[in-house]
Amino acid sequence: MTGPLRRRWWWTGPDGPGQSLRVQVALLLAALILPTLLMVLTVIPGVIVQRFAQIERDQVSQYTRIAQEDLNTEERRVGLFVLNFSQWTETFEFAAGRNATFPAQVMVPSTFTGGRVDYAGIMSPQGTLMAAAAMQGDAVVDAEALVSTLMGTLPRTLPPDGVSGTVQVAGRPYLLAARTITRDDGSGSGGVMLFARALNAQALGALMHAEKTFTARLGALPTAGQEALTFAPGVVTVASPLSAPDGPPQLALQLSIPRDMYRAGQATVLQLKVVAVLITLERPFALREGEVTLKLVAGFSQSAYPVPFTALLRQAFLALQHAMDRNEHLGVFNEDMLRRSQYGHTLETQLQGAVSRQELSLMYQPISDVLTGQWVSLEALMRWQHPQLGVVPPGTFIPVAERSGQIYQLGEWALQTAAREIEQARALWPGAHVNVNVSPLQLLMPDFAERALGTLAALNVPPTLLTFEVTESTVMQNVELACRHLARLREAGVRIALDDFGSGHSSLSLLTELPLDVVKLDRSFLRDGVQDTARGALLRNTIRLARDLNLTTVAEGVEDAGMLARLRELGCDYAQGYHISRPDYLEDLLSLRT
């Protein structure tokens, strides 16, 4: 007799909730991911936002001090200009009514333009306005009404050092300075000398060392209860009072500062959240059905202006491609990516037919015995000389060839050319041997090993003359397939070299797991490892382990005799680099071979 049927919900497995794949994933998310996400999506971004806000406030304070100092500098300059004229006997005599020709001699265009002032006035000791002039265009005109008003903003008695400040007359701002008039020797008290300049937007802008970081204007003082510092979505506005020659401030210096720091902080937080999610999810999940690993990469694009969705999507795709090329979690779009994309499209188009147009060539760099200095092999390096674009570096066109699928043709051409040229070189160098680099896409071909051996057979070149160089990242894309290809090639006599070892997170266990003959130590590994550091110990252990595994070692990037001597001490077998020889064409290298 069968028991009662149990009701099965959408989230349960056939044996109940405990066996459901959905439940396993949900529990994993809750137990492992959610606490981490809570931290990286709330706590850390909050700290970052606070830090950026403080930086923005510090920036506002700094810009305010710069603008105020610019205005104070101009105020002091006008004050010194007044000092020059106020301590002058001719001015003293005119204020006393005894030098009638003074205005015609002094109130001239050169005085205004040389002193960069707009208004001038002289008042007698009795308070009578003796002269009032202004620069209008190229001529000096009478300005009695305005100068009289400006004189009225001064204190009744001037201090010994005079006064200066910013005032507002009829809704317009003016910067002025005034001093008591004396004789040349400083004696006497003969009235008041005043110079002033209008602070319109153009004049104020010329005074500021803003360099497009802020804009300044003079405006009303903040009213009671109004904040001097206001934050809008795109701009920060700050108002600071300016001293007047007498009484309370009449105007405020108002700065408008773009919120670049705020936007940078928001973008940083958003990118951090995206990267945090990607990294958090990028981990192996042990499920009942097996282990699942997620690899997540994102492209990010935004615009401060309205743009079509398709344009943003294309930009995000370019950023995604950028991140994938550099093995990063997040790519953030910028204009350089667009230019590189356009250049890459040009390269992709021009790369088609480069073989038939004979624009490609191979250069070779020798690998020498560390002890004897004798060359033991040559590494083939592809070069592209375009008639219009010039020399295109392999680091530029190889990724383009891989993305466009043209790497298969280029790889086949490189193998054929290297094999044919090294076979011809044996007439002069019987022990000639060549290293050829293998692209990850080539190694992922199901028939790569057979195709390579078929190429050598068609050219009647022994496989023993060839070494294929592969990188760790190339092999790890499909370890089983890669090992199958490499084992088949080794059986036929081709040697296998693991290239760029030590450039990233290389594992010593790879040396025991992969079918290898040679380990090529990356130049960065060597540069750090020749010192007595942890990297140095790792370099020594790597060379020792390779020797124990019957693997030969090649040090790349050997640039001087000191490096070569250190490699001898460490027991490295071979060396490659500019100290040995720079890459060159085969016929030129053969003439130099020792």
Side-chain angles (χ1 to χ4, degrees):
M1 181 175 178
T2 60
L5 293 175
R6 291 182 298 175
R7 187 174 183 180
R8 180 178 172 186
W9 299 93
W10 67 270
W11 46 268
T12 62
D15 300 320
Q19 304 300 322
S20 170
L21 179 60
R22 293 189 182 94
V23 171
Q24 291 182 60
V25 173
L27 291 176
L28 281 170
L29 289 173
L32 301 177
I33 297 178
L34 292 182
T36 305
L37 287 180
L38 181 64
M39 174 68 69
V40 299
L41 295 181
T42 58
V43 179
I44 296 178
V47 173
I48 293 177
V49 168
Q50 292 178 4
R51 179 55 182 155
F52 271 96
Q54 184 58 50
I55 293 175
E56 184 180 44
R57 289 180 177 274
D58 293 343
Q59 185 184 64
V60 169
S61 299
Q62 181 185 23
Y63 289 162
T64 300
R65 288 194 298 270
I66 291 174
Q68 289 177 333
E69 181 57 30
D70 289 339
L71 204 55
N72 292 338
T73 299
E74 178 63 9
E75 190 174 308
R76 288 192 293 268
R77 187 194 65 80
V78 176
L80 290 174
F81 195 58
V82 170
L83 176 64
N84 181 56
F85 282 89
S86 64
Q87 292 183 344
W88 194 12
T89 301
E90 282 80 355
T91 310
F92 183 87
E93 292 298 317
F94 173 73
R98 294 188 292 267
N99 187 5
T101 62
F102 180 82
Q105 296 174 350
V106 177
M107 301 296 185
V108 293
S110 60
T111 299
F112 290 90
T113 57
R116 299 198 303 276
V117 294
D118 302 306
Y119 302 93
I122 298 176
M123 181 177 288
S124 70
Q126 294 77 29
T128 303
L129 189 62
M130 303 293 293
M135 188 73 177
Q136 191 174 78
D138 295 330
V140 176
V141 299
D142 180 74
E144 181 178 352
L146 180 58
V147 172
S148 179
T149 304
L150 293 176
M151 287 286 189
T153 64
L154 304 177
R156 184 176 299 273
T157 301
L158 297 185
D161 293 333
V163 294
S164 61
T166 306
V167 299
Q168 183 172 238
V169 176
R172 295 182 179 180
Y174 298 89
L175 184 150
L176 62 83
R179 293 182 70 98
T180 299
I181 301 172
T182 67
R183 297 183 182 89
D184 293 348
D185 59 4
S187 64
S189 178
V192 176
M193 181 78 184
L194 175 144
F195 281 115
R197 66 174 302 181
L199 288 182
N200 53 35
Q202 182 178 359
L204 187 62
L207 297 178
M208 299 289 119
H209 291 81
E211 297 182 355
K212 299 182 180 180
T213 55
F214 60 83
T215 57
R217 70 183 185 90
L218 299 183
L221 294 165
T223 59
Q226 184 180 6
E227 293 289 337
L229 184 64
T230 58
F231 294 88
V235 67
V236 178
T237 303
V238 57
S240 52
L242 298 175
S243 61
D246 187 35
Q250 302 177 25
L251 292 167
L253 177 62
Q254 297 179 351
L255 301 185
S256 296
I257 306 169
R259 301 194 67 183
D260 295 335
M261 188 60 63
Y262 170 79
R263 286 192 289 267
Q266 295 298 311
T268 299
V269 168
L270 179 58
Q271 294 167 26
L272 173 65
K273 291 180 179 179
V274 172
V275 172
V277 171
L278 298 178
I279 294 177
T280 302
L281 294 177
E282 188 178 306
R283 64 173 68 184
F285 294 99
L287 306 178
R288 182 169 177 251
E289 288 73 11
E291 188 175 87
V292 177
T293 301
L294 300 177
K295 173 67 176 180
L296 302 176
V297 183
F300 177 82
S301 177
Q302 65 178 356
S303 175
Y305 309 100
V307 296
F309 170 75
T310 53
L312 276 179
L313 190 61
R314 180 170 179 269
Q315 293 172 358
F317 177 77
L318 292 177
L320 175 64
Q321 187 64 58
H322 176 84
M324 294 174 64
D325 289 343
R326 286 159 177 74
N327 197 28
E328 298 172 351
H329 287 94
L330 177 65
V332 181
F333 175 79
N334 56 49
E335 292 299 325
D336 287 340
M337 292 182 187
L338 181 59
R339 285 190 289 270
R340 285 196 297 268
S341 173
Q342 294 169 342
Y343 181 60
H345 180 71
T346 301
L347 292 181
E348 180 180 337
T349 303
Q350 295 300 313
L351 197 54
Q352 299 173 3
V355 173
S356 60
R357 295 191 301 269
Q358 298 183 351
E359 296 172 1
L360 298 179
S361 62
L362 288 182
M363 299 182 77
Y364 297 86
Q365 186 173 35
I367 300 172
S368 71
D369 190 297
V370 168
L371 296 178
T372 66
Q374 295 294 317
W375 294 357
V376 296
S377 185
L378 301 172
E379 181 180 354
L381 304 168
M382 192 180 301
R383 297 293 185 262
W384 181 18
Q385 176 74 47
H386 190 272
Q388 282 80 44
L389 300 175
V391 177
V392 183
T396 300
F397 74 82
I398 292 297
V400 173
E402 290 178 336
R403 285 197 294 269
S404 63
Q406 299 181 66
I407 192 64
Y408 302 109
Q409 180 190 17
L410 298 189
E412 181 67 18
W413 174 85
L415 176 58
Q416 292 178 3
T417 304
R420 184 167 50 247
E421 292 184 348
I422 208 66
E423 177 65 21
Q424 295 170 354
R426 295 179 69 193
L428 297 175
W429 180 17
H433 191 97
V434 67
N435 291 30
V436 176
N437 291 280
V438 178
S439 164
L441 296 181
Q442 290 179 277
L443 201 59
L444 290 175
M445 297 169 60
D447 59 344
F448 168 72
E450 298 303 327
R451 289 172 66 94
L453 294 175
T455 298
L456 296 177
L459 296 172
N460 197 27
V461 174
T464 53
L465 300 185
L466 179 69
T467 294
F468 273 138
E469 295 191 10
V470 298
T471 62
E472 176 187 354
S473 59
T474 298
V475 173
M476 297 307 291
Q477 292 191 31
N478 190 328
V479 178
E480 182 181 355
L481 178 61
C483 288
R484 190 161 63 245
H485 285 324
L486 300 182
R488 174 70 183 93
L489 291 167
R490 291 186 74 218
E491 290 174 2
V494 177
R495 290 165 61 82
I496 305 299
L498 183 63
D499 196 15
D500 297 335
F501 186 82
S503 60
H505 301 287
S506 301
S507 172
L508 291 176
S509 63
L510 280 176
L511 305 183
T512 64
E513 297 171 357
L514 299 179
L516 301 173
D517 300 285
V518 182
V519 180
K520 299 192 71 175
L521 306 173
D522 184 74
R523 65 184 66 247
S524 62
F525 195 17
L526 174 63
R527 183 177 59 249
D528 300 334
V530 294
Q531 307 298 327
D532 291 329
T533 61
R535 294 277 284 181
L538 183 58
L539 177 61
R540 289 192 297 274
N541 291 335
T542 301
I543 294 174
R544 186 179 301 113
L545 176 61
R547 186 185 304 112
D548 293 342
L549 296 173
N550 294 319
L551 301 176
T552 57
T553 51
V554 179
E556 298 179 296
V558 178
E559 299 176 353
D560 54 53
M563 279 188 174
L564 192 60
R566 180 59 173 157
L567 290 172
R568 293 192 191 101
E569 296 175 3
L570 294 174
C572 184
D573 299 305
Y574 304 111
Q576 180 180 0
Y578 283 1
H579 182 67
I580 309 301
S581 175
R582 290 177 178 270
D584 206 341
Y585 292 104
L586 183 58
E587 59 182 24
D588 295 327
L589 286 175
L590 291 177
S591 65
L592 300 174
R593 188 179 67 86
T594 57

